[in-house]
Amino acid sequence: MGQLATQAQNRQLAQMTPQQNMRKLLDRSWDRIKAVMPKEMNPQRLYQMYISTINREPALADCTVESVLSCFMRCTSLGLEPSNVNGLGMAYILPFGNKNYRTGQKEATFILGYRGIIDLARRSGQLRDISARAVHEGDEFDYAYGLDEHLNHVPCAKPGKLTHVYMVANFKDGGHYMQVMGIDEINAAMKRSPSARKPTSPWHTDFEAMAKKTVIRRAAPYLPMSVETKEAIADDDRTPDYSDLLDPIVMPGGDAEYADGSDAIDVEPAEETEPEQPQQPEAQPEVSPLEAKRAEMIRRFQALGVASDAEACETITKILNREVKASDELTEAELDKVLGQLKASVKEGE
């Protein structure tokens, strides 16, 4: 009966929509996610917000399960609620499509909102207050750094285009810290962001909020924050990795279980079928030299332990001495240069 029940369950999973399947996986992993939840959070409320996030962002179902659940895990461990549903700007879990080299699937991305960073900073207990504001054309705005540091901002009744953003943090001991960024600095930061090339990025839907977040991120090293908060800010706009807590392990006897002893998702064994008669191999489509070089580059990155396109682009950027956001944008000449460098690095390591 155990095997029959497992097969029936697997057939049921196969008939589910991607969103229903993702919800089922969330149910199975919920105890692990709940284990890192701060005591002040409401488990039932957070669970419902994750379900709403899956329903609101259906493309998450096309991402790797590990990346989506890892984003949920990061959000929970920081004590933040996902803002995909309530729009409060704390944190976002979005299917930006960073490709995983091992599976070929897209990966979900965890993005801190500027209100989320402010909330985390306030938890240090050393800040009297912290805020970030936007300056527009028509506002009265003046500031100066140095020994006579000051900032004055009077918004106008009909604001024009965004010109600056700034943040001010006042410490309980009487000190303060302020940071100002102009529109050119903000646009430069947006171009460096891996998520900005995606049409669903908050850079395109909530530019002002992302600008405020950017100025707070720049100030973060000078603010009293916990190590976990600073690490979360440093890893922002990426896919967190909690696979060691989520991946199943195979126990003696062949039963798949998680490290904590709960059942993992069983895979139905393939039914025995009659051996197929040998067929003539189909003619394979001709691969262009450009695609062949691109495939070789990916294989070489995989051999070096690089698992995602975003990680590969960091190395490619250094090799080409220009910013590269996606490996599929490389020309044949650039692919030759990258391959040459990768081959040379392998020879040096031999």
Side-chain angles (χ1 to χ4, degrees):
M1 284 297 292
Q3 184 176 3
L4 292 175
T6 298
Q7 292 177 356
Q9 183 185 43
N10 286 326
R11 283 192 291 270
Q12 184 181 10
L13 282 170
Q15 295 170 358
M16 291 181 178
T17 64
Q19 290 91 340
Q20 289 173 331
N21 194 26
M22 184 64 72
R23 177 171 178 171
K24 187 76 173 179
L25 294 168
L26 174 63
D27 289 342
R28 291 186 172 223
S29 304
W30 184 242
D31 286 343
R32 295 166 197 77
I33 296 175
K34 191 167 62 173
V36 300
M37 183 184 304
K39 293 181 180 179
E40 60 271 16
M41 296 191 79
N42 185 319
Q44 187 174 7
R45 171 182 167 82
L46 188 63
Y47 173 82
Q48 291 301 327
M49 295 194 77
Y50 285 151
I51 294 298
S52 298
T53 297
I54 293 172
N55 294 333
R56 190 179 181 89
E57 303 287 348
L60 285 175
D62 298 327
C63 299
T64 63
V65 173
E66 293 84 357
S67 69
V68 176
L69 295 181
S70 289
C71 288
F72 288 163
M73 188 79 79
R74 171 60 60 82
C75 204
T76 304
S77 67
L78 293 175
L80 300 175
E81 294 181 344
S83 300
N84 302 61
V85 181
N86 58 25
L88 294 180
M90 291 293 186
Y92 299 89
I93 300 169
L94 297 172
F96 279 150
N98 175 34
K99 192 174 182 180
N100 186 300
Y101 281 168
R102 289 191 295 270
T103 65
Q105 287 182 272
K106 294 186 292 184
E107 291 186 328
T109 302
F110 176 78
I111 297 181
L112 272 172
Y114 85 93
R115 288 192 177 94
I117 298 178
I118 287 178
D119 183 67
L120 293 173
R122 284 174 174 160
R123 296 179 194 175
S124 69
Q126 300 181 48
L127 294 177
R128 183 161 53 86
D129 60 67
I130 178 173
S131 61
R133 301 187 186 279
V135 182
H136 300 86
E137 292 178 349
D139 291 0
E140 180 183 333
F141 183 64
D142 177 62
Y143 73 96
Y145 293 123
L147 296 177
D148 187 23
E149 187 171 274
H150 69 274
L151 187 150
N152 179 60
H153 178 208
V154 181
C156 66
K158 296 181 179 180
K161 295 181 179 179
L162 183 74
T163 62
H164 299 78
V165 289
Y166 66 90
M167 62 76 58
V168 177
N170 291 298
F171 306 135
K172 287 187 175 180
D173 63 4
H176 76 276
Y177 184 82
M178 76 176 200
Q179 181 79 50
V180 181
M181 291 182 67
I183 188 62
D184 291 339
E185 294 177 284
I186 298 167
N187 287 330
M190 179 184 70
K191 291 178 180 178
R192 291 192 297 270
S193 172
S195 66
R197 65 178 182 267
K198 305 297 179 181
T200 56
S201 170
W203 277 111
H204 305 301
T205 59
D206 300 286
F207 180 82
E208 189 170 300
M210 291 299 289
K212 292 177 181 177
K213 168 188 168 179
T214 302
V215 74
I216 295 176
R217 280 192 63 176
R218 180 168 291 190
Y222 308 99
L223 301 178
M225 293 182 178
S226 67
V227 174
E228 183 183 23
T229 297
K230 290 186 177 181
E231 289 178 350
I233 294 174
D235 291 339
D236 183 35
D237 212 356
R238 298 184 183 180
T239 301
D241 184 10
Y242 286 86
S243 56
D244 56 332
L245 299 178
L246 296 169
D247 282 350
I249 58 175
V250 178
M251 304 298 289
D255 295 328
E257 295 184 352
Y258 282 94
D260 64 359
S262 60
D263 294 336
I265 297 174
D266 298 312
V267 179
E268 182 179 359
E271 297 181 358
E272 294 185 4
T273 58
E274 293 294 329
E276 296 182 358
Q277 296 298 322
Q279 299 178 352
Q280 294 295 328
E282 297 181 359
Q284 296 297 320
E286 186 177 351
V287 179
S288 68
L290 182 69
E291 290 304 318
K293 291 177 181 180
R294 197 184 312 280
E296 182 183 356
M297 180 190 68
I298 292 176
R299 287 196 299 270
R300 289 186 175 274
F301 271 122
Q302 288 176 322
L304 294 172
V306 176
S308 69
D309 194 58
E311 188 177 353
C313 285
E314 293 179 4
T315 301
I316 297 172
T317 295
K318 295 177 182 178
I319 295 174
L320 300 180
N321 198 26
R322 75 170 181 85
E323 186 177 17
V324 177
K325 295 183 178 179
S327 63
D328 56 9
E329 70 182 37
L330 299 180
T331 64
E332 187 169 359
E334 289 174 331
L335 284 168
D336 287 335
K337 186 173 182 179
V338 173
L339 282 170
Q341 187 66 36
L342 291 174
K343 292 175 183 177
S345 65
V346 171
K347 290 181 179 179
E348 290 175 2
E350 290 178 348

